[in-house]
Amino acid sequence: MHDVTSTRELLARYDRPGPRYTSYPTAIEFHDGITHDLYVDRLARLNRAGDQPLSAYMHLPFCEQRCSFCGCNVVITPHREVASRYLDALEQEIDLLAAHLPESRMIAQLHLGGGTPTYYTPEQLGRVFARFRRHFAFTPDAELGVEIDPRVTTFAHLDLLRSLGFNRLSMGVQDFDPKVQEAINRIQSYELTRDLLEHARSLGFGSINVDLIYGLPHQTEETFAKTLAQVLVLRPDRVAAYSFAFVPWMSAHMKELDRAALPPAESKLTLLAATVDAFIGAGYRAIGMDHFALPSDELARAVDTGTLNRNFMGYTVKTTTDMVALGVSAIGNVQGAFVQNTKKLPEYYAAVATGRFPIDRGYALDEDDEIRKHVITELMCNFRLDVLAVERRFGITFAEYFHDELATLSAPAESAVADGLVAVNPDRIEVHPVGRMFVRNICMVFDKYLARRTGGPKPVFSRTV
Ligand SMILES: C[S@@+](CC[C@H](N)C(=O)[O-])C[C@H]1O[C@@H](n2cnc3c(N)ncnc32)[C@H](O)[C@@H]1O
Ligand code: SF4
């Protein structure tokens, strides 16, 4: 890590609003010109393109209570009948999708996300899974993953999920400190988390992930060090340590958080540095910007071979390019178009009941978007870019195509190169270790849309640190 003065200078220059690049173009660019008809057309194109296995995402948005830091698309309700109705609609949507694809289309990756999928009973989850299996087949090495909230997940849930073939588990922890937990409205004991994780391990889940967040109210280096030590005792296969995205203009409930208790950017960087030290020191490998994996985990191996990939579900070793998505707010990516379902339950129910995809908006990528998407994904995943490979793949001369971007990156002063974040060579771009914390800023240089989205009166993105 740089000394305190240079870290301060870097923060002053680079801590600014910016996308997290779970997609490029980012969801802000999605528009309502993307409709049911366009999606049907792309699905037909997908069928003509062959039978490459697909990724599938299913969104189960319900949670019993709201964590005050949460930026996910959730529906908070203790009323189980509301959630039961949702499953009926989801089954209709599964049937609708299947009607546009050949029977038993192969799936290489299925992810149940939320919200909290284990808000549902094991029987309900089994029911929706059976509907999916009726139409789709899994590749022999398929990744079947599910997000669970340990506070509402039982051993019976885990037994059922494992028996269905789920082999990846991701559990939310965030922080074990009581004061932090109280501030974020999420009381979750270490013991509860440990017992569930141990049970999952005994069932043979191949990879177990724990989510942490740094930058939450009342977190200090001391309190977070304790959380990190507790997580290290659990030794999950993977850890996602997210920077808290504080976006009260988008998620109004975040206004309840005590702003004065939020660690400033400099402390956030210290928390991140402590996180990196703790996991690297314990033998984990750094994956992309904010993930860690044990060397035995396939994500760690993908780093060595430069084959790490990223989609809406996170980092992955799968190279599938097409992803179908089911459920409210879910985002798919089929044949060069992002399609996002409506976030509103009544609209969702009405659309699927009439046999229409419940699409609200999306984005069809052009060639320039595809090139920039590739550049940004490579930098986010592998911290380097093989310039010659980009030239071959897209038939461009990199130095000409990205003339302005390269000039910005390599300006003699106050640029990412001058600040030691990145090296720009004719055949490769390489992010230096200190630049990894600012990789979003480096990607922002290649983002064509950013200039007109920032600097306006209303904030759009969370801060990069
Ligand atoms: C759908 S939740 C995980 C499953 C389950 N609902 C739970 O909370 O245990 C997805 C993860 O996103 C992360 N997350 C949610 N809101 C966030 C925010 N505002 N900033 C950073 N990470 C956030 C949390 O780490 C959370 O575990
Ligand atoms: S963090 Fe998880 S449990 Fe909490 S509100 Fe968000 S989705 Fe629900």
Side-chain angles (χ1 to χ4, degrees):
M1 186 97 195
H2 276 200
D3 63 42
V4 176
T5 327
S6 62
T7 302
R8 256 195 214 127
E9 279 166 13
L10 289 177
L11 278 174
R13 263 206 282 288
Y14 295 102
D15 179 26
R16 63 174 92 138
R20 291 159 69 125
Y21 293 117
T22 48
S23 73
Y24 180 84
T26 61
I28 300 284
E29 303 305 328
F30 291 10
H31 57 82
D32 61 12
I34 304 296
T35 58
H36 165 91
D37 292 340
L38 180 132
Y39 190 38
V40 168
D41 177 62
R42 296 290 164 134
L43 288 172
R45 218 190 265 189
L46 176 69
N47 294 333
R48 289 196 297 274
D51 54 4
Q52 279 271 79
L54 307 176
S55 291
Y57 174 76
M58 204 183 279
H59 193 71
L60 301 169
F62 297 95
C63 295
E64 279 180 10
Q65 42 174 290
R66 193 186 302 277
C67 309
S68 36
F69 64 83
C70 183
C72 305
N73 278 303
V74 299
V75 178
I76 308 295
T77 177
H79 302 295
R80 302 280 158 172
E81 62 285 359
V82 178
S84 174
R85 166 148 192 227
Y86 180 77
L87 285 192
D88 298 336
L90 196 56
E91 290 184 345
Q92 286 174 325
E93 196 191 3
I94 293 170
D95 291 348
L96 177 62
L97 175 65
H100 288 272
L101 295 170
E103 267 311 294
S104 299
R105 181 79 203 229
M106 295 301 267
I107 302 291
Q109 191 186 26
L110 170 69
H111 189 82
L112 307 189
T116 300
T118 46
Y119 172 99
Y120 285 108
T121 63
E123 294 69 31
Q124 285 174 312
L125 287 175
R127 178 187 128 190
V128 74
F129 186 81
R131 190 62 153 249
F132 188 81
R133 275 299 273 116
R134 191 191 288 177
H135 301 293
F136 298 97
F138 292 110
T139 57
D141 61 347
E143 271 180 37
L144 274 70
V146 55
E147 290 171 18
I148 64 158
D149 174 353
R151 297 170 304 161
V152 300
T153 306
T154 61
F155 282 12
H157 276 113
L158 297 183
D159 297 345
L160 180 271
L161 288 163
R162 187 73 192 107
S163 74
L164 295 178
F166 280 81
N167 47 26
R168 304 273 185 284
L169 203 66
S170 179
M171 49 174 79
V173 168
Q174 329 310 345
D175 192 307
F176 282 126
D177 184 76
K179 191 169 172 191
V180 175
Q181 290 197 350
E182 196 188 328
I184 61 175
N185 192 33
R186 183 182 176 115
I187 308 298
Q188 174 179 335
S189 76
Y190 170 76
E191 289 72 22
L192 173 94
T193 312
R194 176 199 61 202
D195 292 350
L196 212 60
L197 194 140
E198 283 176 357
H199 186 66
R201 198 169 269 151
S202 74
L203 293 173
F205 279 90
S207 183
I208 301 175
N209 172 81
V210 160
D211 286 342
L212 300 175
I213 302 182
Y214 64 92
L216 292 173
H218 301 295
Q219 270 177 344
T220 66
E221 218 180 319
E222 291 73 42
T223 65
F224 204 53
K226 207 169 153 203
T227 289
L228 293 172
Q230 285 173 296
V231 172
L232 281 174
V233 173
L234 301 176
R235 214 166 168 77
D237 303 277
R238 299 178 187 178
V239 176
Y242 297 113
S243 165
F244 175 38
F246 182 56
V247 286
W249 59 91
M250 278 164 70
S251 305
H253 59 272
M254 287 188 193
K255 291 186 186 131
E256 290 161 22
L257 290 170
D258 177 5
R259 272 175 188 257
L262 290 173
E266 215 172 300
S267 310
K268 268 184 102 173
L269 262 200
T270 312
L271 292 171
L272 174 59
T275 307
V276 174
D277 286 349
F279 288 110
I280 300 299
Y284 283 76
R285 299 284 313 271
I287 310 292
M289 193 177 45
D290 41 21
H291 286 58
F292 303 89
L294 286 174
S296 51
D297 194 281
E298 61 186 1
L299 277 189
R301 294 200 296 273
V303 170
D304 296 331
T305 48
T307 52
L308 196 63
N309 223 315
R310 188 171 153 96
N311 59 28
F312 282 107
M313 301 180 225
Y315 289 105
T316 174
V317 298
K318 298 285 178 210
T319 50
T320 50
T321 46
D322 294 290
M323 177 157 81
V324 289
L326 298 152
V328 274
S329 78
I331 304 176
N333 178 7
V334 174
Q335 295 291 295
F338 290 121
V339 285
Q340 179 165 32
N341 281 351
T342 173
K343 294 177 182 172
K344 297 181 183 137
L345 283 177
E347 276 180 20
Y348 177 75
Y349 294 151
V352 294
T354 53
R356 291 182 70 78
F357 286 109
I359 288 165
D360 177 47
R361 53 195 201 125
Y363 197 92
L365 281 78
D366 63 19
E367 178 73 3
D368 176 69
D369 294 323
E370 293 285 1
I371 296 170
R372 290 171 191 273
K373 177 181 172 209
H374 176 80
V375 168
I376 288 173
T377 305
E378 282 296 301
L379 290 172
M380 291 292 292
C381 288
N382 298 313
F383 293 124
R384 60 176 176 252
L385 182 72
D386 182 340
V387 167
L388 304 180
V390 177
E391 294 190 330
R392 276 195 303 276
R393 177 164 169 175
F394 295 102
I396 58 167
T397 304
F398 196 85
E400 281 171 21
Y401 197 90
F402 289 115
H403 177 269
D404 294 351
E405 289 81 353
L406 292 174
T408 304
L409 274 183
S410 335
E414 299 201 357
S415 69
V417 168
D419 288 329
L421 306 187
V422 64
V424 176
N425 301 307
D427 60 339
R428 63 200 276 127
I429 295 179
E430 188 114 30
V431 181
H432 294 312
V434 65
R436 294 181 173 206
M437 287 184 275
F438 302 102
V439 67
R440 287 161 70 177
N441 299 76
I442 297 169
C443 292
M444 282 156 72
V445 174
F446 291 95
D447 183 338
K448 180 175 81 174
Y449 302 97
L450 198 60
R452 62 182 159 94
R453 292 293 176 192
T454 47
K458 283 175 78 181
V460 180
F461 301 112
S462 60
R463 299 190 78 84
T464 50
V465 173

